[in-house]
Amino acid sequence: MLPPRGGLLWLGLVLGSVGSAALGSSATDALNVLLIIVDDLRPSLGCYGDKLIRSPNMDQLASRSLLFQNAFAQQAVCAPSRVSLLTGRRPDTTRLYDFNSYWRAHSGNFSTIPQYFKENGYVTMSVGKVFHPGVSSNHSDDSPYSWSLPPYHPSSEKYENTKTCRGPDGELHANLLCPVDVADVPEGTLPDKQSTEQAIRLLGKMKTSASPFFLAVGYHKPHIPFRYPKEFQKLYPLENITLAPDPQVPAGLPPVAYNPWMDIRQREDVQALNLSVPYGPIPADFQRKIRQSYFACVSYLDTQVGHLLSALDDLQLASSTIVVLTSDHGWALGEHGEWAKYSNFDVTTRVPLVFYVPGRTAPLPAAGDKLFPYLDPFDSISESVEPGRQAGDLVELLSLFPTLAGLAGLPVPPRCPIPSFHVELCREGRNLLKHFQVRDSEEDPYIRGNPRELVAYSQYPRPADSPQWNSDKPSLKDIKVMGYSIRTVDYRYTVWVGFNPREFLANFSDVHAGELYFVASDPWQDHNMYNDSQGGALPRSLTP
């Protein structure tokens, strides 16, 4: 971990070494990039139509941005999703389905988004959880390839899973639900607060730089444990918290598709419930408390995003900086009787995806005007924010690489050949630049292509056909089944097939189970029509 002052000293050395030679005369015209990656954030935000959630700062960002309504992650677990979106390659190409390998050594020396910007003259910086720490990023957050200076991790993150949650008994516990008095926790702060402070320091340093910057900020919340300032709980009185619309395990759900949420079972307050494995269920009153704490974490996160964007404004960088807000995957809050991620359902694969591009998604601010003034989620009189432009097309997080490159004026990496293990720089995702063309202000704010031509793919591994202790996060050697999922505008279709982890090969002749849900009639994906489809009702686009 690099201390804040050391980070700024190092940055000064980096800026001195970059110089203008790498960028030529276009340095002053290049757009900066602020990439905000949130951990486990589903689209439970006001800008996505959730009327309960208080997220005024992210809503304000969305009002000046292009918001993608139907963006999907390629695997609903941290390390595989982050490596996939940051390299622009699918998990079957990175060959990372767990947390235990580094793609450059295990699969191919694939370039990353920050690496590409760095090689094109940008100063690239990482704050918080951008890559998943550990083996999957070579215990270095992919340094030195991706970053111009050592990545910053907040010192207080080491307390996240320790006994810092005061329970009703007055003792400290390692709980799932962990509202805290920040003054009482170790170091008197929380990781996301520290990340915001460090990111603002770096922005201040970059304001006077001749080089453009690429700053990635990774926020931990709403990842478990739900450890957040306790005052945010007041925004969500328990009497206002409902259960998920479908809290029961669907009758037609194949056992292989179910994730038994083993990680939250390890928390002391959940252990005290003596839940049956694998299906639970969690008592209704505790379900409401989980949902309350998740929502409170989202509002806490919103304040951090708000402070960061307000600083961007104060430093007069908002007119020269692309801002992207997204998440590595969603999180189930009781839907299908499931909690956490680890599945192929919409609630775990669908993510927020918002692009602010100066002069394209919103007019450049006039002198003295602020685009992103800080908004207090506790302010009951806060003005409602008008939605910005929205795109209804299905898109994948894979598209982040080519789209960011194009928006910044860099050459868009070419499409990957098949196979592409030997190709360092290419992309498997579509370029979304067409959505950012300036349009008539009277045109429908929803940007439409031909939605039935668009598909988003996700996948998830399992060690067995029935839920067991390692079903959520199987190691590569234990993977026996892979669930490949296709999401279209009309349906979600998933087929669970045999998988050989030594050869990285799926056997589509060895079908273990299937799922088929029709979006219009079954938006929550509770009524599996797969067995009916085998009698001839399969959608035309799924037939051989």
Side-chain angles (χ1 to χ4, degrees), residues 503-533:
E503 302 294 332
F504 301 97
L505 285 178
N507 182 358
F508 283 87
S509 298
D510 178 23
V511 177
H512 291 228
E515 299 169 80
L516 175 62
Y517 307 100
F518 292 99
V519 173
S521 60
D522 185 20
W524 292 103
Q525 299 162 11
D526 292 313
H527 305 288
N528 183 8
M529 306 299 291
Y530 177 81
N531 290 331
D532 293 346
S533 73

Side-chain angles (χ1 to χ4, degrees), residues 291-355:
R291 290 169 65 87
Q292 175 194 47
S293 278
Y294 183 93
F295 300 150
C297 282
V298 172
S299 291
Y300 162 54
L301 159 74
D302 184 75
T303 64
Q304 300 309 301
V305 172
H307 289 306
L308 179 59
L309 294 178
S310 180
L312 193 76
D313 247 342
D314 293 340
L315 293 165
Q316 298 180 326
L317 291 168
S319 60
S320 58
T321 303
I322 297 167
V323 181
V324 180
L325 173 76
T326 191
S327 170
D328 51 359
H329 43 69
W331 212 81
L333 283 168
E335 293 87 359
H336 316 112
E338 294 180 306
W339 303 87
K341 45 251 186 181
Y342 317 126
S343 83
N344 282 318
F345 287 115
D346 277 15
V347 288
T348 63
T349 56
R350 184 170 170 244
V351 295
L353 182 60
V354 174
F355 287 82

Side-chain angles (χ1 to χ4, degrees), residues 241-244 287-295 333:
I241 305 298
T242 62
L243 299 182
Q287 289 189 42
R288 288 188 174 88
K289 290 178 181 178
I290 295 176
R291 290 169 65 87
Q292 175 194 47
S293 278
Y294 183 93
F295 300 150
L333 283 168

Side-chain angles (χ1 to χ4, degrees), residues 393-406:
D393 285 3
L394 281 88
V395 301
E396 301 174 299
L397 286 183
L398 288 176
S399 291
L400 193 58
F401 198 153
T403 305
L404 259 183

